[in-house]
Amino acid sequence: MSASELVRVEGVSKRFTKSLDLAAKIANRFGAKNREVTVHAVDQVDLSISDGEVVALVGESGCGKSTLGRVVAGIHDASAGKVFWKGEDVSTHSDAARKDFVLGAQMIFQDPMSSLNPRIRAGEIVGEAARVHGMTDKAGQRDYVSSLFKRVGLDPDYVRRYPHQFSGGQRARIGIARALAVNPKLLICDESVAALDVSIQAQVLNLFMDLREDLGLAYLFISHDLGVVRHISDRILIMYLGRVIESGPTRAIFEDPIHPYTKALLDNVPKLEAKKRSFATIKGEIPSPINPPPGCHFHPRCPVAGPRCSREKPKETIVAGGRMAACHLLDGGVV
Amino acid sequence: MSDVVATPRAKGEFARFVDRFLEDRVAVFGLGLITLIVLLAVFAPLIAPQNPYDLAKVDIMDSRQPPGSKSMDGFTMWLGSDGVGRDLWSGILYGLRISLMVGLLSGLIAATIGLCIGLIAAYFGGRIENVIMRIVDLQLSLPSVLVALILVALLGKGVDKIIIALIVVQWAYYARTVRGSALVERRKEYVEAARSLGLSHTRTMLKHILPNCLAPVIVIATVQTAHAISLEATLSFLGVGLPQTEPSLGVLISNGFQYMLSGKYWISFFPGVALLLTIVGINLVGDRLRDVLNPRLEK
Ligand SMILES: Nc1ncnc2c1ncn2[C@@H]1O[C@H](COP(=O)(O)OP(=O)(O)O)[C@@H](O)[C@H]1O
Ligand code: SF4
Ligand SMILES: [Mg+2]
């Protein structure tokens, strides 16, 4: 562990199993072939974030970014693998250490509406946890919340409003203030600006960067859009169907991508950023995580795939400059 | 400072709800009806010309007088009198008190129990949910009259006993309804946020999830209260419900039934009308609430 390491996950997997209900079980008795469906949302991922570092997690929709983010935030327990908070395995945490982890890693959610309780006033949304955990008390909550509102650029006069009385950008700010209220070290931003207008996206991204500077926060910045993370992240991890297929410093990834998938993604980032983008231009459909292709998950869409790619899972190969890529091209070729 | 100036809605959520409710004339009529009935019940001792359970006030000479007769005390018995000489109008006012009290109290307790159980099922899921929902299904598959009959047969007569029986036949409706909406709420990100902020399960369930699940509960609460009142009347009519010392509308109907064939219809008829109006009023309000709150209802 490096001195400043905040969170590290090792070989983390998260599976979701949809078990059979009673009707399906009975139907099976009569010869139906209902089977339990397991989704490997995250498949043996390693990741670490240091104090104050901004790590971006990029990939197409459904590749497991949110799930990995929730494991890092302590919302989901991993199905396999280990999570370390400040160097300590969270599964062996005492209650106090567990609390330090849960509060220390806060998630900023994707949907600014469903992530705010519609029946609770903004001031209570932001101040409740701080009061419950004794960071402030009933008398001090007002001032505590006011200073958080100011910090995220909201008018403290709005504390008595309900979420539906705010604009989308303001709701995003309430979500940020709520997270800041418990003094986190790490913010996990799950597509936190994707739902906002482009001009407001920039304002919220600026807020994140200001907070990083003022509070020394670290970020795990999740996005399906490489363009969004380009200017804010120190390091990028690219995910494909539950696996990290390339990682490295942002500059290196943009200037010299290694993995064929990363190259394809970069071809889709227009030089002049303006309109919303999708990955529709990468040929082929995103395969299902329920039934991923064997070998390298990317082989049905990879322009340089060879016979080995559908047989063997590529090894994660360390490349000079703090980089990693998982592709047979780096490891003996595709034949 | 901030991006867009907030546009607060002109009216609060509750005000809009009230407006929509009042758009429907029939519902307003229903609401007026039950308001009147509740007021009559609450102020019965002030309104009733006679305390029908004060034996000193009741004169056997007044028994079975037709509507409009004068009592021995000199007041007009507009609805006639019953078999022991009680003014029927007074009897109905006092009977309403008991019927409403039994219906509301059993509904309140059943709702509280059902809400907690349904919330726990939806929130924790897995085996806990399976076990709870099997019990709920079982409870709902049995006819409530039958269950209530068996229970009062076992427990005996009395207000407390009948309330227990009514709770047993009602809680599962609340549990199922709350579970349905809590399952939807549970997946929303504000619940994950609450967990991530280290808030306890109890706080997350009661403060965050429950208030978002109440709309359909309000609707079934009206339906269930009407159901409980008529169920109590049924049991009392069958002679297994409330004792003569707690004369609900059902008891009054039952008492008058023996005179039906001899043409003294009013002794059963007017308490029956009172019961009917109460139930119709509640159901009219319930129907409108269902439209306005628009929950997906199974019942
Ligand atoms: N709670 C869940 N239950 C079942 N499947 C889930 C759940 N959360 C995510 N998944 C599945 O896991 C996969 C990855 O989802 P997610 O992490 O949300 O991807 P992303 O955020 O990259 O779009 C998807 O196939 C999704 O359907
Ligand atoms: S392993 Fe094969 S299929 Fe996968 S990215 Fe590399 S070349 Fe393409
Ligand atoms: Mg996602």
Side-chain angles (χ1 to χ4, degrees), chain B:
Chain B
M1 149 184 241
S2 41
D3 26 85
V4 177
V5 178
T7 46
R9 307 236 169 123
K11 285 188 168 180
E13 196 185 0
F14 184 70
R16 277 181 290 127
F17 161 74
V18 170
D19 282 355
R20 283 217 53 207
F21 184 92
L22 296 179
E23 278 166 22
D24 186 69
R25 290 226 179 135
V26 180
V28 174
F29 170 75
L31 188 63
L33 191 60
I34 40 175
T35 310
L36 179 69
I37 288 172
V38 169
L39 288 177
L40 287 176
V42 170
F43 296 108
L46 303 178
I47 301 165
Q50 177 190 60
N51 178 352
Y53 305 107
D54 182 350
L55 290 179
K57 295 269 163 58
V58 176
D59 194 325
I60 192 73
M61 298 299 288
D62 280 336
S63 67
R64 279 167 278 159
Q65 296 302 308
S69 317
K70 276 260 186 282
S71 76
M72 300 300 278
D73 278 352
F75 63 88
T76 311
M77 302 189 288
W78 293 109
L79 302 183
S81 65
D82 73 358
V84 292
R86 289 182 286 228
D87 171 42
L88 213 48
W89 170 235
S90 307
I92 288 172
L93 291 177
Y94 278 78
L96 271 174
R97 280 164 87 86
I98 296 166
S99 287
L100 290 181
M101 190 269 286
V102 168
L104 289 174
L105 198 60
S106 66
L108 207 64
I109 300 173
T112 310
I113 295 172
L115 287 182
C116 293
I117 291 179
L119 265 180
I120 288 171
Y123 186 80
F124 290 105
R127 183 148 299 169
I128 298 176
E129 182 176 25
N130 278 336
V131 171
I132 290 177
M133 291 323 289
R134 282 299 92 80
I135 298 172
V136 167
D137 287 344
L138 179 72
Q139 174 75 60
L140 293 178
S141 67
L142 301 170
S144 47
V145 186
L146 195 65
V147 174
L149 260 176
I150 293 171
L151 277 172
V152 289
L154 291 174
L155 296 170
K157 282 189 168 192
V159 175
D160 49 344
K161 317 277 189 338
I162 195 128
I163 287 178
I164 292 173
L166 291 176
I167 292 168
V168 171
V169 301
Q170 286 187 88
W171 71 272
Y173 290 99
Y174 290 97
R176 185 180 63 177
T177 306
V178 167
R179 171 181 168 265
S181 25
L183 275 180
V184 177
E185 293 302 318
R186 200 206 175 314
R187 288 196 208 99
K188 296 201 175 152
E189 288 175 337
Y190 72 79
V191 177
E192 286 185 341
R195 299 302 306 143
S196 182
L197 291 166
L199 304 180
S200 67
H201 291 304
T202 318
R203 181 177 276 270
T204 307
M205 277 192 279
L206 295 182
K207 176 161 176 187
H208 292 257
I209 299 180
L210 182 60
N212 289 297
C213 299
L214 285 182
V217 172
I218 292 168
V219 178
I220 67 153
T222 57
V223 178
Q224 283 301 317
T225 304
H227 184 62
I229 291 172
S230 62
L231 195 55
E232 177 273 312
T234 310
L235 295 174
S236 298
F237 180 77
L238 294 175
V240 293
L242 292 173
Q244 289 295 333
T245 49
E246 304 285 352
S248 67
L249 294 176
V251 174
L252 295 183
I253 298 170
S254 169
N255 287 346
F257 200 64
Q258 50 179 312
Y259 305 110
M260 249 346 204
L261 291 179
S262 56
K264 302 192 169 54
Y265 67 93
W266 63 89
I267 307 182
S268 275
F269 179 74
F270 289 119
V273 171
L275 179 66
L276 191 75
L277 289 177
T278 308
I279 289 172
V280 167
I282 297 176
N283 281 333
L284 289 179
V285 171
D287 282 350
R288 185 62 188 159
L289 285 175
R290 183 197 311 249
D291 292 343
V292 175
L293 298 169
N294 194 23
R296 283 182 292 120
L297 274 186
E298 290 163 80
K299 200 192 153 150

Side-chain angles (χ1 to χ4, degrees), chain A residues 61-62 64-67 70 110 190-191 222:
Chain A
S61 166
K65 306 180 297 292
S66 298
T67 306
R70 283 172 163 80
Q110 173 164 11
D190 185 2
E191 309 261 14
I222 298 175

